């Protein structure tokens, strides 16, 4: 009888310990709402943009957007090992934030009035310009030269919309899910030009396998203010990210990371924009 009492008491203690452990483990499986501990934060980036957001063959990630996102995550309380990178293609960025797939997105995400109706933006943290990537011997020198030409861009990009509406309405526009396909089409001669931000184009042109084949037209067809997208109404995260971006600029990290990622492409980048000020 005495043995049964001890056994019952031991079982009760064990049950409490298991329950406590279970509660503790569920708290650590965080998707990115708070830093510290063993929690994770999910961040959206591009996987196919050299110099900005690229998934390397060995499974690591590189690029300016990756460096910016890593710095911001650090200010939010997350170590690099706690970051889970999520590929967010241009056409799915708003949906990814609305679904809660990611905490924030740093993926050459141009701030536009249309997008601001669906998501909130921190920044801008970089100013790029829409341009054209063409072959070295191309005769395309201005936007209107695209009329009647085969042009490539990606689904959901502001660059494609800009060409169709204002620059060259008669261009034969082809859209792909990623820029890598467009660059391959340009190399093969299937298209005459690729349009997107000059920062993205410079990264592709600088890749070893494309060196000497392409050139940027240098047209500056638009101003593209890159912002960090957060879920609409998440003001707390928005303010923290803006504070992190200001510190990144002031402590010299922004300049260092820009030179590291764009230097090899000899890309003439703009100075760091002021947080909260959109360049029209």
């Amino acid at each position: 009888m005495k043995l049964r009492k001890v056994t019952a008491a031991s079982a009760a203690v064990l049950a409490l310990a298991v329950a406590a452990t279970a509660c503790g483990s569920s708290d650590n499986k965080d998707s990115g709402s708070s830093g510290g501990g063993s929690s994770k934060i999910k961040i959206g980036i591009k996987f196919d943009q050299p110099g900005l957001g690229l998934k390397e063959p060995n499974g690591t990630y590189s690029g300016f957007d990756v460096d910016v996102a890593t710095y911001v995550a650090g200010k939010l309380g997350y170590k690099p090992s706690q970051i889970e990178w999520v590929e967010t293609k241009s056409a799915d960025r708003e949906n990814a934030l609305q679904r809660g797939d990611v905490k924030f997105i740093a993926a050459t995400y141009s701030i536009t009035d249309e997008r601001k109706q669906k998501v909130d933006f921190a920044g801008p943290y970089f100013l790029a310009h829409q341009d054209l990537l063409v072959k070295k011997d191309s005769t395309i020198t201005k936007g209107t030269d695209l009329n009647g030409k085969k042009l490539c861009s990606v689904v959901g990009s502001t660059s494609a919309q800009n060409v169709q509406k204002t620059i060259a309405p008669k261009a034969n526009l082809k859209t792909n899910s990623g820029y890598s396909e467009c660059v391959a089409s340009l190399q093969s001669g299937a298209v005459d030009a690729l349009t997107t931000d000059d920062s993205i184009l410079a990264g592709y042109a600088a890749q070893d396998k494309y060196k000497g084949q392409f050139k940027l037209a240098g047209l500056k067809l638009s101003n593209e203010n890159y912002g960090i997208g957060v879920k609409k109404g998440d003001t707390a995260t928005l303010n923290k990210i803006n504070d992190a971006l200001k510190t990144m600029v002031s402590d010299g990290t922004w300049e260092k990371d820009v030179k590291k990622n764009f230097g090899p492409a000899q890309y003439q980048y703009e100075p760091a924009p002021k947080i909260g000020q959109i360049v029209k």
Side-chain angles (χ1 to χ4, degrees), residues 16-276:
L16 287 172
V18 170
T21 303
C23 290
S25 62
S26 65
D27 287 343
N28 286 335
K29 293 179 180 179
D30 181 54
S31 62
S33 59
S34 61
S38 59
S39 58
K40 295 280 187 179
I41 183 169
K42 295 181 179 180
I43 303 174
I45 57 169
K46 294 291 184 65
F47 278 16
D48 66 341
Q49 291 181 355
L52 286 154
L54 183 67
K55 184 175 183 179
E56 302 284 0
N58 64 2
T60 61
Y61 300 87
S62 66
F64 182 63
D65 281 345
V66 174
D67 289 342
V68 169
T70 301
Y71 185 95
V72 168
K75 293 300 183 183
L76 296 180
Y78 296 91
K79 299 175 183 178
S81 60
Q82 292 176 287
I83 297 174
E84 181 178 338
W85 300 109
V86 179
E87 183 176 23
T88 48
K89 293 182 179 293
S90 295
D92 194 46
R93 287 177 294 202
E94 287 82 27
N95 292 331
L97 287 169
Q98 291 170 349
R99 291 193 302 260
D101 295 346
V102 293
K103 188 65 175 176
F104 65 81
I105 293 177
T108 59
Y109 204 178
S110 298
I111 301 171
T112 67
D113 290 337
E114 181 181 357
R115 288 170 176 166
K116 284 195 291 186
Q117 295 177 15
K118 300 177 181 178
V119 302
D120 287 334
F121 284 100
Y125 64 91
F126 194 81
L127 176 62
H129 306 281
Q130 183 180 353
D131 202 353
L132 304 175
L133 188 69
V134 296
K135 284 193 171 181
K136 275 287 188 181
D137 59 354
S138 175
T139 58
I140 297 174
T141 59
K142 56 185 183 296
T144 53
D145 288 343
L146 292 171
N147 284 312
K149 301 287 187 180
K150 296 176 181 177
L151 176 68
C152 194
S153 193
V154 302
V155 178
S157 74
T158 54
S159 298
Q161 298 166 11
N162 194 27
V163 169
Q164 286 183 310
K165 291 179 181 178
T166 61
I167 297 171
K170 294 182 180 179
N172 182 8
L173 181 65
K174 174 187 177 183
T175 55
N176 285 317
S177 61
Y179 291 110
S180 298
E181 296 94 325
C182 283
V183 178
S185 295
L186 180 61
Q187 185 185 39
S188 69
V191 299
D192 300 298
L194 159 60
T195 187
T196 187
D197 305 343
D198 52 7
S199 56
I200 300 172
L201 298 176
Y204 280 112
Q207 284 189 297
D208 288 339
K209 60 182 177 180
Y210 297 129
K211 273 185 178 177
Q213 297 184 43
F214 307 130
K215 64 181 179 181
L216 270 71
L219 302 183
K220 293 190 177 183
L221 299 171
S222 69
N223 292 325
E224 303 297 331
N225 297 268
Y226 290 172
I228 292 182
V230 301
K231 191 171 184 178
K232 191 74 175 175
D234 189 357
T235 306
T237 299
L238 186 74
N239 292 337
K240 289 177 183 177
I241 294 176
N242 275 330
D243 288 342
L245 292 174
K246 290 175 183 176
T247 304
M248 186 178 187
V249 172
S250 65
D251 69 11
T253 304
W254 185 94
E255 187 78 17
K256 176 179 66 71
D257 287 341
V258 167
K259 289 180 177 178
K260 180 185 76 173
N261 290 290
F262 295 125
Q266 297 182 342
Y267 170 58
Q268 301 299 312
Y269 59 88
E270 300 277 5
K274 292 185 178 180
I275 305 304

